[in-house]
Amino acid sequence: MKMSLRVLSMVMGLLLLAVAGFAEFAAKPNVPPQQAPGGAAVRPSTPKRVLQGEKIVALMCVHCHRDPSIKTLAGRPMPDLGTDLGNLYSANITRDPVYGIGKWTDQQVVTLMRTGTGRDGRLHLGMPRFAYLSDEDAASLVAFLRSDNPLTRATALPTPPQELSPLAKSLMGTALQPTPLVKHLAEAPPASQPVALGRYLAIGRYQCYFCHSQSIGTNNEAQPELSKGFMGGGEKMLDDDLKVRVSRNLTMDPETGLGKWTEAQFGKAVKFGMAPGGILHAPMPKFSTLTDDEVHALWTYLKTVPKIKNATPEDGAGSPK
Ligand code: HEC
Ligand code: HEC
C-alpha cells in the first residue's frame, strides 16, 4: 500500500489543538510510553493466520516497510511523509534478531501497532495506529511477520535513527502521545452483520477513516468517529512522486460524496483504483483482495455515516496540481 501522510497538516492540527483545545487533550487518557500495557496474550500462529496476515500486510504495511532494492520488509526512507516532523525512516521489521523484530515479543509488536509505543518505550511517529485491530487480525499480522515468507527474510540492515525536527521534539509528550489501549473486538464481525463488519474494516483493519477524514492531525484514534470531518475527505497527502493528492469525501452526500454512486462503482474504485471520475492515485491503496462481502459491508456501513458536504478535487474544488 502507498501511505503518504502530509505531516504538515498533522502538525498544524496538533498546534491548533495545543493552543485552542489543550484542556481537551489533557482530558484524554494518556499512557506514558514506558508504562504502555502489553495487552492480552497473542494467539498462536496457524497456517490460516499466516494467510490472513499476508493479506493485511500486503495492503497495509508493504508500501511503507518494503525496501525496494532488497525486496524484504527492511524499511526505507519516507520522504512521502513530508519533513515537518523530520526525516523519518520506516523500520526494519524482518525476522532479523538484531536489526529487525526477531527478538520482539508478540505482545510488543501488537502494542506498537495499537499504541505507537515501541518496546524501548519510545513513541514511534509516522505510522498509523491500529487501535481497533481485532485480536484475531493482530495475531495474524504477527504470524505472518514470523513466517518464512520472502518478505520477512532476516535482513541485517540497521534502521537509521529518526531525525526528528525541533518541532517534533518540542511536541513529544504533549501533543504527540501514544494512543491509549482501547477495548477492541476479538474477531471481525461476520458478513451477516454488514454494518458492523464495514465499520470494523473502515476503522480497525483498513484505516479508511485515517486518510479520509479532514486531517490526520485532528483524527481521534481512540474514538475515530469523533475525528474532525469523519469520512468527509480533504486531507492532503503525497503520492509516489511527492505530488499532493487530496483524500475524497466518502460520505453519501449526493453532490460532493458518494451519494450518486452504485455499489459496483464503489467496488471498482476501492479494489482497482478505477473511479467514475478517473484513475485513483497513491496513497489510495488498491484493496484488490477484498471479498465481495467486504466491499458490500464497507458500502453498507458508509451509508450509515453522517453526510458531510465537502467538495474535493474531483468535484472541481481546486485541484492541487
Ligand atoms: C505510513 C507508513 C507506515 C505504514 C502504513 C506502516 N508503518 Fe510501521 N512504521 C513506519 C515508520 C515510519 C516506523 C518507524 C517509526 C519510528 O521508529 O519512530 C514504523 C515502525 C514499525 C515497527 C517498529 C519497528 C522498530 O524497530 O521500532 C513495527 C513493528 C511496524 N512498523 C510494523 C508495521 C506493520 C505490521 C504495519 C502494517 C499493519 C505497518 N507497520 C504499517 C511506517 C509505517
Ligand atoms: C493512505 C491513505 C488512504 C487510505 C488508507 C484509504 N484511502 Fe481512499 N483515497 C485516498 C486518496 C488520497 C484518494 C484520492 C486519490 C486521487 O486523488 O487520485 C482516495 C480516493 C478514494 C475513493 C475515490 C472517491 C471519489 O470520489 O473518486 C474511494 C471510493 C476511496 N478512496 C475509498 C477508500 C476506502 C473504502 C478505504 C478503506 C478500505 C480507503 N479509501 C482507504 C487515500 C486513502
Side-chain angles (χ1 to χ4, degrees):
M1 122 181 209
K2 170 68 188 173
M3 181 77 146
S4 337
L5 313 180
R6 183 172 173 257
V7 180
L8 176 61
S9 66
M10 166 171 163
V11 171
M12 294 315 287
L14 290 168
L15 282 177
L16 280 178
L17 273 176
V19 175
F22 202 81
E24 189 191 324
F25 241 116
K28 275 194 197 171
N30 164 12
V31 185
Q34 57 280 21
Q35 291 168 28
V42 177
R43 300 172 180 194
S45 179
T46 62
K48 193 174 154 219
R49 290 194 177 121
V50 173
L51 274 181
Q52 169 73 353
E54 182 173 15
K55 172 177 162 171
I56 302 175
V57 166
L59 296 175
M60 300 308 295
C61 325
V62 162
H63 184 80
C64 285
H65 281 282
R66 182 171 170 272
D67 179 317
S69 54
I70 307 177
K71 300 187 169 53
T72 67
L73 299 176
R76 66 169 176 92
M78 300 279 328
D80 38 337
L81 292 180
T83 52
D84 300 282
L85 292 181
N87 295 318
L88 299 181
Y89 302 86
S90 65
N92 182 339
I93 57 168
T94 69
R95 284 178 284 120
D96 191 275
V98 179
Y99 300 111
I101 55 168
K103 283 212 172 123
W104 288 42
T105 65
D106 295 353
Q107 278 193 2
Q108 285 169 335
V109 175
V110 173
T111 299
L112 181 275
M113 284 192 295
R114 290 206 164 114
T115 69
T117 302
R119 72 165 180 165
D120 53 358
R122 186 174 62 81
L123 182 62
H124 287 50
L125 301 179
M127 172 166 158
R129 316 247 170 95
F130 294 80
Y132 283 91
L133 200 64
S134 72
D135 290 332
E136 182 61 26
D137 281 346
S140 300
L141 280 170
V142 170
F144 176 76
L145 293 173
R146 309 281 196 224
S147 76
D148 58 4
N149 187 283
L151 273 176
T152 66
R153 179 171 55 82
T155 308
L157 258 189
T159 305
Q162 307 293 1
E163 299 161 25
L164 295 188
S165 66
L167 179 64
K169 283 185 189 154
S170 71
L171 294 177
M172 264 302 179
T174 53
L176 298 174
Q177 292 276 359
T179 303
L181 271 188
V182 295
K183 198 165 174 292
H184 49 262
L185 297 171
E187 331 262 341
S192 58
Q193 297 170 21
V195 174
L197 174 60
R199 178 176 181 274
Y200 172 68
L201 297 177
I203 70 179
R205 188 191 293 164
Y206 294 131
Q207 303 278 332
C208 318
Y209 93 95
F210 187 78
C211 293
H212 281 278
S213 299
Q214 182 179 307
S215 161
I216 286 167
T218 49
N219 278 348
N220 185 332
E221 283 146 337
Q223 291 165 286
E225 280 98 341
L226 298 187
S227 300
K228 265 202 186 139
F230 180 68
M231 294 292 188
E235 173 61 315
K236 295 192 179 69
M237 317 185 91
L238 300 179
D239 70 11
D240 290 333
D241 303 318
L242 307 185
K243 227 161 99 178
V244 175
R245 302 284 172 190
V246 181
S247 74
R248 300 189 184 169
N249 187 344
L250 300 188
T251 73
M252 291 295 155
D253 179 64
E255 306 309 323
T256 63
L258 306 183
K260 289 183 180 152
W261 287 33
T262 63
E263 182 174 333
Q265 287 173 323
F266 172 75
K268 241 173 122 178
V270 175
K271 290 181 69 166
F272 308 115
M274 292 158 70
I279 300 285
L280 299 176
H281 304 85
M284 172 63 192
K286 287 190 179 60
F287 292 95
S288 56
T289 50
L290 289 191
T291 63
D292 291 348
D293 279 346
E294 288 170 335
V295 170
H296 178 68
L298 280 164
W299 182 246
T300 310
Y301 165 68
L302 286 173
K303 287 187 186 162
T304 71
V305 172
K307 287 177 200 163
I308 293 178
K309 206 167 257 325
N310 181 33
T312 42
E314 80 285 7
D315 311 306
S319 165
K321 275 174 235 158

Short mmCIF file of all heavy atoms in Angstrom, two decimals, residues 3-8 10 80-82 126-128 210-211 216 235-238 283:
data_model
loop_
_atom_site.label_atom_id
_atom_site.label_comp_id
_atom_site.label_asym_id
_atom_site.label_seq_id
_atom_site.Cartn_x
_atom_site.Cartn_y
_atom_site.Cartn_z
N MET A 3 1.26 4.72 1.42
CA MET A 3 0.74 5.51 2.52
C MET A 3 1.58 6.76 2.63
O MET A 3 2.72 6.70 3.05
CB MET A 3 0.86 4.69 3.79
CG MET A 3 0.33 5.39 4.98
SD MET A 3 -1.44 5.33 4.95
CE MET A 3 -1.80 5.22 6.66
N SER A 4 1.12 7.86 2.18
CA SER A 4 1.93 9.06 2.28
C SER A 4 1.15 10.06 3.10
O SER A 4 0.07 10.47 2.73
CB SER A 4 2.21 9.64 0.91
OG SER A 4 2.09 8.65 -0.06
N LEU A 5 1.67 10.43 4.21
CA LEU A 5 0.92 11.27 5.11
C LEU A 5 1.44 12.69 5.02
O LEU A 5 2.63 12.91 5.07
CB LEU A 5 1.08 10.77 6.53
CG LEU A 5 0.90 9.26 6.66
CD1 LEU A 5 1.07 8.85 8.09
CD2 LEU A 5 -0.44 8.83 6.14
N ARG A 6 0.56 13.62 4.89
CA ARG A 6 1.02 15.00 4.83
C ARG A 6 1.16 15.49 6.26
O ARG A 6 0.20 15.86 6.91
CB ARG A 6 0.04 15.86 4.05
CG ARG A 6 0.54 17.28 3.92
CD ARG A 6 -0.39 18.02 2.99
NE ARG A 6 -0.06 19.41 2.96
CZ ARG A 6 -0.78 20.32 3.60
NH1 ARG A 6 -1.79 19.99 4.33
NH2 ARG A 6 -0.44 21.58 3.49
N VAL A 7 2.39 15.46 6.70
CA VAL A 7 2.60 15.70 8.12
C VAL A 7 2.40 17.15 8.49
O VAL A 7 2.06 17.48 9.61
CB VAL A 7 3.98 15.17 8.54
CG1 VAL A 7 4.22 15.41 10.01
CG2 VAL A 7 4.06 13.69 8.23
N LEU A 8 2.55 18.06 7.52
CA LEU A 8 2.35 19.47 7.85
C LEU A 8 0.98 19.69 8.47
O LEU A 8 0.84 20.29 9.53
CB LEU A 8 2.50 20.36 6.60
CG LEU A 8 2.21 21.83 6.87
CD1 LEU A 8 3.20 22.40 7.90
CD2 LEU A 8 2.29 22.66 5.59
N MET A 10 -0.80 17.61 9.86
CA MET A 10 -0.85 16.93 11.16
C MET A 10 -0.29 17.87 12.22
O MET A 10 -0.89 18.10 13.26
CB MET A 10 -0.03 15.66 11.07
CG MET A 10 0.30 15.02 12.37
SD MET A 10 1.03 13.40 12.04
CE MET A 10 1.77 13.09 13.61
N ASP A 80 7.81 10.65 1.53
CA ASP A 80 6.39 10.85 1.28
C ASP A 80 5.62 11.17 2.57
O ASP A 80 4.42 11.42 2.53
CB ASP A 80 5.77 9.66 0.54
CG ASP A 80 6.31 8.32 0.98
OD1 ASP A 80 7.44 8.27 1.52
OD2 ASP A 80 5.61 7.31 0.81
N LEU A 81 6.29 11.13 3.72
CA LEU A 81 5.64 11.59 4.95
C LEU A 81 5.83 13.09 5.14
O LEU A 81 5.37 13.65 6.13
CB LEU A 81 6.20 10.85 6.17
CG LEU A 81 5.88 9.36 6.29
CD1 LEU A 81 6.51 8.78 7.54
CD2 LEU A 81 4.38 9.12 6.31
N GLY A 82 6.55 13.74 4.22
CA GLY A 82 6.86 15.16 4.43
C GLY A 82 8.02 15.28 5.41
O GLY A 82 8.53 14.28 5.90
N GLY A 126 4.89 8.53 12.48
CA GLY A 126 4.88 8.30 11.05
C GLY A 126 4.12 7.05 10.64
O GLY A 126 3.97 6.77 9.47
N MET A 127 3.66 6.30 11.61
CA MET A 127 2.94 5.07 11.29
C MET A 127 1.53 5.18 11.86
O MET A 127 1.36 5.61 12.99
CB MET A 127 3.68 3.90 11.92
CG MET A 127 2.92 2.62 11.82
SD MET A 127 4.00 1.24 12.21
CE MET A 127 2.76 0.08 12.66
N PRO A 128 0.51 4.82 11.07
CA PRO A 128 -0.85 4.88 11.64
C PRO A 128 -0.98 3.88 12.79
O PRO A 128 -0.30 2.86 12.79
CB PRO A 128 -1.74 4.50 10.47
CG PRO A 128 -0.87 3.78 9.50
CD PRO A 128 0.52 4.27 9.73
N PHE A 210 -8.72 7.07 8.58
CA PHE A 210 -7.48 7.75 8.92
C PHE A 210 -7.08 8.72 7.82
O PHE A 210 -6.65 9.84 8.08
CB PHE A 210 -6.38 6.70 9.15
CG PHE A 210 -5.10 7.28 9.67
CD1 PHE A 210 -4.97 7.62 11.01
CD2 PHE A 210 -4.01 7.48 8.84
CE1 PHE A 210 -3.80 8.16 11.50
CE2 PHE A 210 -2.83 8.02 9.32
CZ PHE A 210 -2.73 8.36 10.65
N CYS A 211 -7.22 8.29 6.57
CA CYS A 211 -6.88 9.16 5.44
C CYS A 211 -8.08 9.99 4.99
O CYS A 211 -7.90 11.05 4.41
CB CYS A 211 -6.40 8.34 4.26
SG CYS A 211 -4.83 7.50 4.56
N ILE A 216 -5.15 14.33 9.35
CA ILE A 216 -4.56 13.34 10.24
C ILE A 216 -4.32 13.96 11.61
O ILE A 216 -4.43 13.31 12.63
CB ILE A 216 -3.26 12.81 9.61
CG1 ILE A 216 -3.63 11.88 8.46
CG2 ILE A 216 -2.40 12.08 10.62
CD1 ILE A 216 -2.47 11.52 7.57
N GLU A 235 -7.99 15.56 3.43
CA GLU A 235 -6.58 15.52 3.85
C GLU A 235 -5.69 15.58 2.62
O GLU A 235 -5.94 14.91 1.61
CB GLU A 235 -6.31 14.24 4.65
CG GLU A 235 -4.85 14.00 5.02
CD GLU A 235 -4.21 15.10 5.90
OE1 GLU A 235 -4.42 16.28 5.61
OE2 GLU A 235 -3.51 14.74 6.84
N LYS A 236 -4.64 16.42 2.69
CA LYS A 236 -3.69 16.49 1.58
C LYS A 236 -2.55 15.54 1.86
O LYS A 236 -1.93 15.58 2.92
CB LYS A 236 -3.16 17.92 1.44
CG LYS A 236 -4.24 18.91 1.05
CD LYS A 236 -3.61 20.24 0.64
CE LYS A 236 -4.68 21.24 0.23
NZ LYS A 236 -5.52 21.68 1.37
N MET A 237 -2.28 14.66 0.89
CA MET A 237 -1.26 13.63 1.08
C MET A 237 -0.34 13.62 -0.13
O MET A 237 -0.68 14.16 -1.17
CB MET A 237 -1.94 12.27 1.23
CG MET A 237 -3.16 12.33 2.11
SD MET A 237 -3.88 10.73 2.39
CE MET A 237 -2.99 10.33 3.87
N LEU A 238 0.83 12.97 0.00
CA LEU A 238 1.78 12.94 -1.11
C LEU A 238 1.74 11.59 -1.81
O LEU A 238 1.71 10.55 -1.15
CB LEU A 238 3.20 13.22 -0.59
CG LEU A 238 3.40 14.57 0.09
CD1 LEU A 238 4.83 14.73 0.58
CD2 LEU A 238 3.04 15.72 -0.85
N PRO A 283 -1.70 8.04 -2.41
CA PRO A 283 -1.61 6.92 -1.46
C PRO A 283 -2.86 6.08 -1.32
O PRO A 283 -2.91 5.24 -0.43
CB PRO A 283 -1.29 7.63 -0.15
CG PRO A 283 -1.99 8.94 -0.27
CD PRO A 283 -1.86 9.32 -1.72
#
